[in-house]
C-alpha cells in the first residue's frame, strides 16, 4: 500500500476507503450490485471475468485478485483467469466471450479507437446490444474502481485466489454482495 491519504491507516484496504467516504461511495455500491448481480444476458461469472480482465489490463492488483475470487465463487478456475491475463488469444475462454473481452480490452486501453468492427465481432458471436452495453458498464465500472483504489493507495488484495475459504466464496454468491459489503463498511444506515 502507498500512503496517498493520511487519514487512511497503514495497511488499509477497500473497507477503510468506504468508511472514509461513505456519502460518495454508497451510490456506487448500489450501482456495482446492479451491474454485477442484476439481470443480464451476461452471466455473473462472465461479468466477473470481464471485471478481472479489465483490472488486470489496468495492473490493479487489488481488483484483479478480488474479481478472480468473485469469479471462482461462480465456478471459474483461477488458472483460466491467469491464462487469460497471460494471453487472451490462447486462453481456453469460451469463444463466444472472447469478442466481448477484446472489446472491453480495447475500450480500456484505447477508448477513442473503438470502431464498428469491434461491435460487429460481438454481434457476430451472438450477443445483443443489451449484452454489449452490460459489458461496457462492467468495463467502465472497473476502470473507475481501479482508479479509485490505485488513487487512494490500495494496491494489494489480501486473499489468495487459490486458497480462499469456502465461506468467503459463499458470501460472494449473494445477489446483494456488493451492497452487503458496503453496508458492512458504513455506507448505509
Amino acid at each position: 500500500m502507498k500512503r496517498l491519504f493520511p487519514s487512511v491507516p497503514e495497511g488499509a484496504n477497500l473497507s477503510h476507503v468506504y468508511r472514509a467516504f461513505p456519502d460518495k461511495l454508497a451510490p456506487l455500491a448500489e450501482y456495482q450490485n446492479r451491474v454485477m448481480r442484476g439481470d443480464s444476458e451476461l452471466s455473473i461469472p462472465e461479468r466477473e471475468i470481464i471485471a478481472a480482465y479489465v483490472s488486470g489490463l489496468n495492473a490493479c492488483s487489488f481488483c484483479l485478485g478480488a474479481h478472480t475470487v468473485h469469479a471462482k465463487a461462480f465456478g471459474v478456475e483461477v488458472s483460466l483467469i491467469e491464462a487469460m491475463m497471460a494471453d487472451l488469444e490462447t486462453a481456453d475462454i469460451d469463444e463466444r466471450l472472447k469478442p466481448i473481452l477484446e472489446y472491453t480490452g480495447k475500450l480500456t486501453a484505447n477508448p477513442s479507437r473503438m470502431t464498428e468492427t469491434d461491435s460487429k465481432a460481438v454481434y457476430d458471436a451472438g450477443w445483443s446490444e443489451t449484452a454489449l452495453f452490460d459489458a461496457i458498464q462492467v468495463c467502465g465500472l472497473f476502470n473507475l474502481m481501479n482508479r479509485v483504489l490505485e488513487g487512494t493507495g490500495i494496491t494489494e488484495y489480501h486473499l489468495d485466489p487459490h486458497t480462499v475459504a469456502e465461506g468467503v466464496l459463499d458470501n460472494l454468491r449473494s445477489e446483494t454482495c456488493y451492497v452487503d459489503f458496503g453496508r458492512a463498511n458504513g455506507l448505509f444506515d
Side-chain angles (χ1 to χ4, degrees), residues 14-155:
L14 184 57
S15 299
H16 293 97
V17 174
Y18 273 39
R19 288 182 179 130
F21 304 100
D23 58 324
K24 304 289 186 192
L25 293 173
L28 181 58
E30 291 173 341
Y31 178 67
Q32 275 183 302
N33 213 91
R34 199 169 294 128
V35 168
M36 298 304 290
R37 295 293 184 268
D39 290 336
S40 178
E41 187 178 326
L42 294 167
S43 69
I44 291 172
E46 289 167 335
R47 286 178 271 173
E48 292 295 351
I49 288 169
I50 296 166
Y53 184 61
V54 167
S55 298
L57 293 177
N58 282 324
C60 181
S61 297
F62 184 95
C63 287
L64 173 58
H67 294 282
T68 298
V69 170
H70 278 257
K72 181 178 180 171
F74 290 92
V76 177
E77 295 292 328
V78 173
S79 60
L80 181 67
I81 303 286
E82 293 168 341
M84 174 182 74
M85 295 315 307
D87 184 1
L88 181 61
E89 284 306 310
T90 61
D92 191 23
I93 296 282
D94 179 351
E95 287 301 316
R96 189 167 181 245
L97 187 58
K98 277 189 181 178
I100 284 185
L101 292 169
E102 290 166 351
Y103 190 100
T104 57
K106 185 174 180 181
L107 185 58
T108 296
N110 296 298
S112 66
R113 296 181 186 240
M114 301 306 297
T115 67
E116 290 175 10
T117 303
D118 300 314
S119 60
K120 183 176 182 326
V122 173
Y123 303 139
D124 287 349
W127 297 102
S128 69
E129 283 186 353
T130 301
L132 178 55
F133 186 71
D134 289 350
I136 291 166
Q137 287 186 96
V138 173
C139 178
L141 173 61
F142 282 91
N143 274 289
L144 169 65
M145 289 306 297
N146 297 163
R147 281 144 183 84
V148 167
L149 285 155
E150 294 292 329
T152 56
I154 310 301
T155 57

